[in-house]
Amino acid sequence: MKATPIAVYLLGLGIFAQGTSEFMLAGLLPNVAADLGVSIPDAGLLVSAFAIGMVVGAPVLAIATLRMPRRTALAAFQLVFVAGHVVGALAPSYGVLFATRVVSAFAYAGFWAVAAATAVSLVPVGAKGKALSVVGTGLTLATIVGVPAGTVLSQHVGWRAAFWAVVVLTVLSLLALLAVLPAGRADDTQRPSPRREIRAMTRPALWVSYLLTTLSFGAAIVTFSYLAPLLTEVSGLPSGLVPAVLALYGVGGLLGMTLGGRTADRHPLRTLFLGTGALTVASALLALTATNLPATIALTFTLGLTGYLTNPVVQSRVFTLAPDAPTLAPAVNTSAFNVGITLTPMLGGLTIDAGYGYTSVAWVGAAVGALALLAALWAAMLQRRPEGRTARGRSADAASGVATAARPDALTAAD
């Protein structure tokens, strides 16, 4: 198999730069609140604003830029993202910063959607999962390197310095992508058609896949969202060691993303069942052994590993299920990821507010993981139904020139 093109790694760099901004605000909240004269809960709404922007922005911008060359669209999204962060770094008030978070999230969502479609277009059919894992690794590295670095900058130089650092990283990514990506369309085999892409979105199996994306990643993120207080308040970890343990979660996620990228194309269903099943068990074990510090540390690594193992699969499946919607299908999948990121931490917060303690979030993770297993079973049943591929689906496949190996029935054979 040919080596992954350098452009795919540079797309991952773009995700790293912008993904750092997505998550770093959690470490900047105290400084932001103090500087702008708002409460911590009000500052926390900046995180929600970004998530909402991601959910709405991905499909909207995917359609709006569908007939634009992907290189141009990617550059435009990054320029808007940079502008948003420049204004954010100079923001004189909370309202201005809030608006820049929404605008930046819109641009980041559009970049994610087009980057996924571009990465897939640059590799052979059997390497789509690996390419998407490379792009997604940028986000994993953002949690390991970018977020802690942003927190350190905020503590020593101020939260605005973290925004300027994101600007520099994004500009470097923009220049690199302009240098390596072809100027024309990534795929000239057919004229982009919003109507065709929207029509492809009516397939039931595709929406089951979106449900699986939301549940599987939601199960992974809910415990992580409250891991720091769980480690210190329940497991007895000294607060100074929390960043190291959180980084261990990120290392597990990086390993899981890498392993998932290697199996996503050959054994998608097995990877889904293994990842969601192991994540569910690990979450339940954490809830049961949270007072045991060594066990908690080991399970933190396991949560990262199992939580990200399925990521390349749920990303690559949408291209298989909707080959005639190569831009809109992954865009809606980006929204599905962010629905999980938004809703499951809210559920975890509700259980804590109800008085069940920090271990309750791990039980929430286990419950959502069990639902993800059911969604994976539903997806497998739909995939094996002979009538799953309709005449419309077959004609669409033929029109888009998709190889047989990329079709759902080929995936079933692989498993």
Side-chain angles (χ1 to χ4, degrees):
M1 183 179 293
K2 293 182 178 179
T4 304
I6 186 65
V8 175
Y9 289 96
L10 292 176
L11 290 168
L13 174 62
I15 296 298
F16 168 74
Q18 296 171 74
T20 295
S21 176
E22 179 180 8
F23 291 111
M24 74 178 182
L25 208 63
L28 310 184
L29 290 183
N31 288 346
V32 171
D35 185 37
L36 298 180
V38 298
S39 67
I40 292 289
D42 283 344
L45 291 176
L46 297 170
V47 178
S48 300
F50 200 94
I52 292 171
M54 288 284 290
V55 171
V56 177
V60 170
L61 292 179
I63 287 295
T65 61
L66 187 60
R67 293 186 176 178
M68 184 183 296
R70 287 174 179 160
R71 180 173 180 264
T72 303
L74 290 169
F77 291 141
Q78 287 183 297
L79 286 173
V80 172
F81 187 87
V82 166
H85 278 66
V86 169
V87 175
L90 300 172
S93 67
Y94 173 79
V96 173
L97 182 59
F98 189 96
T100 66
R101 295 304 286 172
V102 175
V103 171
S104 297
F106 256 71
Y108 176 40
F111 183 88
W112 242 122
V114 179
T118 303
V120 165
S121 73
L122 293 173
V123 298
V125 168
K128 295 182 185 299
K130 182 179 179 182
L132 289 169
S133 75
V134 169
V135 175
T137 295
L139 188 58
T140 309
L141 288 174
T143 64
I144 300 173
V145 180
V147 173
T151 303
V152 170
L153 276 175
S154 175
Q155 292 172 345
H156 292 86
V157 189
W159 66 269
R160 298 176 191 271
F163 275 63
W164 286 117
V166 168
V167 168
V168 172
L169 280 174
T170 306
V171 169
L172 290 175
S173 166
L174 167 61
L175 295 176
L177 283 173
L178 288 175
V180 301
L181 283 178
R185 298 189 185 279
D187 182 6
D188 289 319
T189 58
Q190 60 177 348
R191 181 178 175 80
S193 168
R195 181 177 298 178
R196 180 171 54 242
E197 296 224 1
I198 292 172
R199 187 168 56 243
M201 301 298 291
T202 61
R203 297 167 188 166
L206 182 62
W207 290 94
V208 173
S209 185
Y210 291 145
L211 176 64
L212 183 54
T213 295
T214 296
L215 292 174
S216 61
F217 200 65
I221 207 67
V222 60
T223 306
F224 177 75
S225 299
Y226 299 94
L227 196 54
L230 187 150
L231 287 167
T232 56
E233 301 296 325
V234 181
S235 304
L237 182 74
S239 58
L241 295 178
V242 169
V245 178
L246 294 181
L248 184 63
Y249 175 94
V251 171
L254 181 60
L255 179 59
M257 184 79 75
T258 302
L259 293 175
R262 293 181 182 277
T263 61
D265 295 301
R266 292 176 297 166
H267 305 294
L269 291 178
R270 293 180 191 177
T271 305
L272 283 174
F273 282 112
L274 175 63
T276 53
L279 174 61
T280 302
V281 171
S283 298
L285 287 175
L286 179 62
L288 293 170
T289 64
T291 56
N292 185 314
L293 182 57
T296 301
I297 292 174
L299 286 168
T300 296
F301 173 81
T302 305
L303 285 174
L305 172 65
T306 57
Y308 282 84
L309 182 67
T310 59
N311 194 291
V313 180
V314 295
Q315 290 196 70
S316 60
R317 271 180 61 81
V318 298
F319 290 95
T320 299
L321 295 171
D324 37 354
T327 302
L328 185 57
V332 176
N333 205 40
T334 298
S335 296
F337 272 111
N338 282 276
V339 169
I341 291 171
T342 304
L343 292 184
T344 55
M346 289 175 57
L347 290 175
L350 289 174
T351 62
I352 294 172
D353 289 340
Y356 292 105
Y358 290 113
T359 56
S360 64
V361 298
W363 284 120
V364 172
V368 176
L371 291 175
L373 273 173
L374 291 177
L377 179 61
W378 189 6
M381 292 171 62
L382 287 177
Q383 188 166 289
R384 287 186 166 90
R385 282 168 52 184
E387 64 271 22
R389 287 182 68 233
T390 62
R392 179 191 296 178
R394 286 192 296 271
S395 63
D397 286 355
S400 59
V402 176
T404 301
R407 293 173 181 159
D409 49 340
L411 281 182
T412 303
D415 274 292

